[in-house]
């Protein structure tokens, strides 16, 4: 799959962390002598690694495109103070081509697409050869992690660059190219259908679950069985397989291991603000390394939108407090900023979190016409977030709206809202299309509104799908059909 930067052998030759067991002219893994060699390859290049210089493959810009944010400008900005907003400004505007090709490895660079496919190339190599060591110690774990990572990466690729899963049109809607083989193919690659993408993700996740049974990992930076179950539940939710969602969520909640919801009633704001950014958090199922600061409060940044803040019960919800700091928000100059983005963040956009398991299960139960069970699950989460959860007496579409609002309250600034809005737009039973407005200011002695950028409803506005990086289009020689975004 070299036309999408999957030069597998070339990649392996430059991997310093994987040893020197590959000869320059080797096109197989004959010098791999044990599963330990595969483990080194998996750690070094299968998982995403921390880069202090920008990490474009964190997709930090996912959190600036949805309806939870607004532009914040408090004084004449300086280049240093605005480095993160400078890197996400064009994404905030839904520009036709928001990537900065002059610095591909920075936050706004286009390297994310290629980097994810490079990781897929590595796990394809592992999966293509691992069966030679079947029965050896760690065989199941390494195979399970590789399967999980491939499904996990394709989930993010299709969620960003593909259409949402519409049951009626998934077999023809365009997703992303799927490559499963471990050898190089000298051709351009076409996009697979959305249905094919999701079916492959589900297949990989199911196989990963079987392989990872009983595996105990040293940290949440390595995938275990619950991570694979959480991925499968997310995938099934998109596909409308609601009973299967419930089954996977139940499997996690019945054997959570170290996973526990944090009770905001008993933890100080400062302690929670630190803990929720750590991969050691009891709510973190899996995190793929390191995340940047996006929502820091400074001269120019991104603040919480009025629409998001209006979702909270200002009296009983501990996640939000009017005019003050809260567990979820930092208050500054009349605006609110996500605490989870206030510093170096180990639990970020590319993560799987325990609260989402509760939310996924509640949504699936509501779709199965089990409102009482859905409410019971929802209240278990809310009890850890509110001083008084009250009662919920809702059914049907009203209950679904409440669950979606709870999901918005709980998962803000975690990269999920953008995916959810696309998913809601094609929902089989309760479709909900969204139009987003982003005000944009310039400093003229004070913050002056110069334009309000508008993203119209999906699918009419092409801005809901990211364009492919320019070099990916060129390398695929016209085979990769691009997503066209309008000029604004």
């Amino acid at each position: 799959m070299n036309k999408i930067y999957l030069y597998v052998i070339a990649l392996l030759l430059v991997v310093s962390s994987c040893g020197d067991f590959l000869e320059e002219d080797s096109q197989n893994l004959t010098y791999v002598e044990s599963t330990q060699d595969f483990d080194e390859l998996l750690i070094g290049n299968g998982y995403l690694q921390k880069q202090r210089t920008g990490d474009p493959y964190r997709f930090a810009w996912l959190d600036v495109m949805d309806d939870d944010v607004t532009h914040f400008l408090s004084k004449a900005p300086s280049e240093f103070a605005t480095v993160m907003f400078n890197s996400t400004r064009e994404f905030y505007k839904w520009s036709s081509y928001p990537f900065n090709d002059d610095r591909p490895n920075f936050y706004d660079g286009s390297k994310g697409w290629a980097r994810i496919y490079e990781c897929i190339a590595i796990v394809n190599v592992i999966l293509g050869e691992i069966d030679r060591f079947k029965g050896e110690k760690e065989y199941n774990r390494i195979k399970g992690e590789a399967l999980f990572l491939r499904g996990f990466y394709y989930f993010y690729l299709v969620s960003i660059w593909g259409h949402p899963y519409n049951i009626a049109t998934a077999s023809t809607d365009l997703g992303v190219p799927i490559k499963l083989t471990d050898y190089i193919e000298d051709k351009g690659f076409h996009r697979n259908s959305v249905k094919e993408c999701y079916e492959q993700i589900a297949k990989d996740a199911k196989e990963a679950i079987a392989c990872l049974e009983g595996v105990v990992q040293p940290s949440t930076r390595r995938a275990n069985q619950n991570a694979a179950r959480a991925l499968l539940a997310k995938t099934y939710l998109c596909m409308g397989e609601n009973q299967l969602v419930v089954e996977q969520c139940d499997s996690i909640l019945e054997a959570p291991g170290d996973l526990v919801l944090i009770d905001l009633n008993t933890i100080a704001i400062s302690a929670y603000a630190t803990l929720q950014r750590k991969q050691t958090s009891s709510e973190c199922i899996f995190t793929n390394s390191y995340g940047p600061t996006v929502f820091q409060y400074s001269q120019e940044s991104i603040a919480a939108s009025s629409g998001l803040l209006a979702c909270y019960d200002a009296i009983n919800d501990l996640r939000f407090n009017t005019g003050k700091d809260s567990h979820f928000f930092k208050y500054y100059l009349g605006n609110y900023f996500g605490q989870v983005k206030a510093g170096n963040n180990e639990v970020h956009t590319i993560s799987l979190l325990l609260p989402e398991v509760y939310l996924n299960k509640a949504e699936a139960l509501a779709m199965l016409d089990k409102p009482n069970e859905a409410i019971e699950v929802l209240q278990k989460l809310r009890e850890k977030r509110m001083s008084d959860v009250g009662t919920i007496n809702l059914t049907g579409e009203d209950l679904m709206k409440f669950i979606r609002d709870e999901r918005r309250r709980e998962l803000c600034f975690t990269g999920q809202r953008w995916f959810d809005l696309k998913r809601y737009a094609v929902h089989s039973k309760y479709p909900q299309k969204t139009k987003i407005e982003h005000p944009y200011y310039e400093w003229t002695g004070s913050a002056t509104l110069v334009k309000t950028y508008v993203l119209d409803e999906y699918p009419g506005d092409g801005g809901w799908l990211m364009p492919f990086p320019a070099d990916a289009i060129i390398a695929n020689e016209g085979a990769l059909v691009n997503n066209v975004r309008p000029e604004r």
Side-chain angles (χ1 to χ4, degrees):
M1 198 174 182
N2 57 325
K3 295 302 178 74
I4 311 181
Y5 312 105
L6 299 191
Y7 295 92
V8 179
I9 305 305
L11 277 170
L12 297 180
L13 290 174
V14 299
V15 175
S16 60
S17 61
C18 298
D20 299 319
F21 53 82
L22 292 175
E23 291 187 335
E24 190 169 285
D25 62 348
S26 173
Q27 293 203 23
N28 57 46
L29 300 185
T30 55
Y31 282 77
V32 173
E33 297 178 347
S34 70
T35 53
Q36 183 179 351
D37 293 327
F38 280 120
D39 202 30
E40 293 178 8
L41 187 60
L42 189 68
I43 295 170
N45 282 80
Y47 286 92
L48 291 173
Q49 297 298 310
K50 176 178 177 180
Q51 279 186 205
R52 295 183 182 276
T53 55
D55 289 357
Y57 47 85
R58 303 304 171 205
F59 305 127
W61 31 262
L62 281 173
D63 284 320
V64 307
M65 296 193 296
D66 60 36
D67 57 348
D68 284 347
V69 298
T70 191
H71 188 198
F72 170 80
L73 184 63
S74 64
K75 61 179 69 173
S78 68
E79 182 178 355
F80 175 78
T82 64
V83 61
M84 277 308 303
F85 188 70
N86 277 338
S87 298
T88 56
R89 189 186 307 272
E90 297 306 311
F91 297 89
Y92 176 82
K93 299 176 180 179
W94 310 292
S95 296
S96 59
Y97 190 78
F99 301 112
N100 186 341
D101 290 336
D102 292 332
R103 51 179 193 177
N105 290 307
F106 208 65
Y107 298 117
D108 55 351
S110 59
K111 179 67 174 176
W113 164 268
R115 182 69 182 95
I116 296 296
Y117 271 110
E118 288 168 3
C119 290
I120 292 172
I122 297 300
V123 298
N124 281 343
V125 168
I126 293 172
L127 291 170
E129 297 288 336
I130 189 68
D131 282 349
R132 292 197 288 123
F133 300 90
K134 192 171 185 178
E136 190 172 312
K137 184 180 178 181
E138 306 298 339
Y139 163 82
N140 282 334
R141 176 183 63 79
I142 293 169
K143 184 174 183 178
E145 287 183 71
L147 285 163
F148 166 83
L149 286 174
R150 187 168 68 185
F152 186 76
Y153 293 142
Y154 275 126
F155 181 89
Y156 276 88
L157 287 169
V158 73
S159 296
I160 294 170
W161 279 280
H163 288 270
Y165 194 99
N166 184 335
I167 294 174
T169 60
S171 61
T172 55
D173 288 338
L174 293 178
V176 295
I178 296 176
K179 174 79 162 57
L180 306 177
T181 53
D182 59 343
Y183 51 83
I184 297 174
E185 299 177 59
D186 187 18
K187 65 177 182 179
F189 280 81
H190 299 270
R191 296 168 68 175
N192 289 76
S193 72
V194 169
K195 184 177 181 180
E196 289 171 328
C197 291
Y198 277 90
E199 286 179 346
Q200 184 61 48
I201 296 164
K203 182 176 184 294
D204 282 346
K206 284 188 287 187
E207 292 182 16
I209 289 169
C211 290
L212 292 170
E213 183 174 2
V215 170
V216 178
Q217 297 285 25
S219 78
T220 56
R221 289 195 175 109
R222 302 291 295 271
N224 61 13
Q225 189 178 58
N226 276 342
R229 291 192 183 281
L231 172 62
L232 186 56
K234 283 172 71 83
T235 305
Y236 281 148
L237 190 69
C238 294
M239 299 173 74
E241 298 286 356
N242 295 296
Q243 183 57 47
L244 298 177
V245 174
V246 173
E247 292 174 7
Q248 293 305 317
C249 292
D250 279 343
S251 293
I252 297 171
L253 298 176
E254 290 167 5
D258 295 330
L259 297 171
V260 180
L261 290 174
I262 300 171
D263 192 344
L264 303 192
N265 290 282
T266 59
I267 187 172
I269 291 173
S270 58
Y272 181 74
T274 299
L275 180 59
Q276 70 171 339
R277 296 196 297 270
K278 298 295 184 181
Q279 56 95 11
T280 53
S281 166
S282 65
E283 294 185 350
C284 180
I285 301 173
F286 171 75
T287 181
N288 216 345
S289 191
Y290 175 85
T293 299
V294 178
F295 295 91
Q296 78 275 29
Y297 48 99
S298 60
Q299 288 96 326
E300 185 176 21
S301 187
I302 294 294
S305 68
S306 58
L308 170 61
L309 299 176
C311 288
Y312 293 94
D313 175 350
I315 298 175
N316 297 305
D317 200 323
L318 300 171
R319 291 168 291 196
F320 173 70
N321 196 343
T322 304
K324 299 179 181 179
D325 289 355
S326 62
H327 287 82
F328 271 33
F329 298 98
K330 182 75 177 178
Y331 181 72
Y332 177 69
L333 294 181
N335 286 264
Y336 300 84
F337 302 82
Q339 292 274 24
V340 73
K341 297 295 186 182
N344 287 341
N345 184 15
E346 297 172 347
V347 181
H348 53 96
T349 300
I350 309 183
S351 300
L352 297 169
L353 305 174
L354 180 60
E356 189 182 3
V357 174
Y358 284 85
L359 292 163
N360 289 347
K361 182 180 177 182
E363 183 175 334
L365 287 168
M367 284 296 292
L368 292 170
D369 294 323
K370 297 180 178 180
N372 292 336
E373 294 181 39
I375 291 169
E376 181 182 0
V377 172
L378 205 60
Q379 292 290 57
K380 288 180 180 179
L381 172 62
R382 286 162 55 80
E383 286 169 0
K384 305 298 184 181
R385 301 298 191 247
M386 304 182 71
S387 56
D388 183 357
V389 299
T391 58
I392 303 172
N393 297 306
L394 300 171
T395 59
E397 189 169 5
D398 291 335
L399 176 58
M400 182 59 68
K401 183 181 185 305
F402 188 89
I403 292 171
R404 288 174 178 175
D405 286 345
E406 189 64 39
R407 188 178 182 90
R408 185 181 189 184
R409 288 187 282 267
E410 179 63 27
L411 300 180
C412 58
F413 311 144
T414 63
Q416 298 305 308
R417 179 67 175 171
W418 182 252
F419 299 163
D420 284 340
L421 292 176
K422 291 172 64 177
R423 182 167 63 87
Y424 299 157
V426 297
H427 197 273
S428 61
K429 191 172 183 180
Y430 303 118
Q432 176 188 329
K433 297 188 177 185
T434 301
K435 174 182 176 181
I436 306 176
E437 295 185 358
H438 278 175
Y440 184 74
Y441 300 91
E442 290 182 358
W443 190 258
T444 58
S446 62
T448 302
L449 179 66
V450 294
K451 185 171 183 177
T452 297
Y453 290 89
V454 178
L455 179 70
D456 283 319
E457 297 176 351
Y458 174 89
D461 193 315
W464 289 96
L465 304 183
M466 292 298 294
F468 293 109
D471 47 7
I473 296 294
I474 294 170
N476 275 273
E477 301 174 351
L480 190 64
V481 178
N482 204 359
N483 299 316
V484 179
R485 280 182 151 194
E487 297 290 342
R488 299 184 194 278

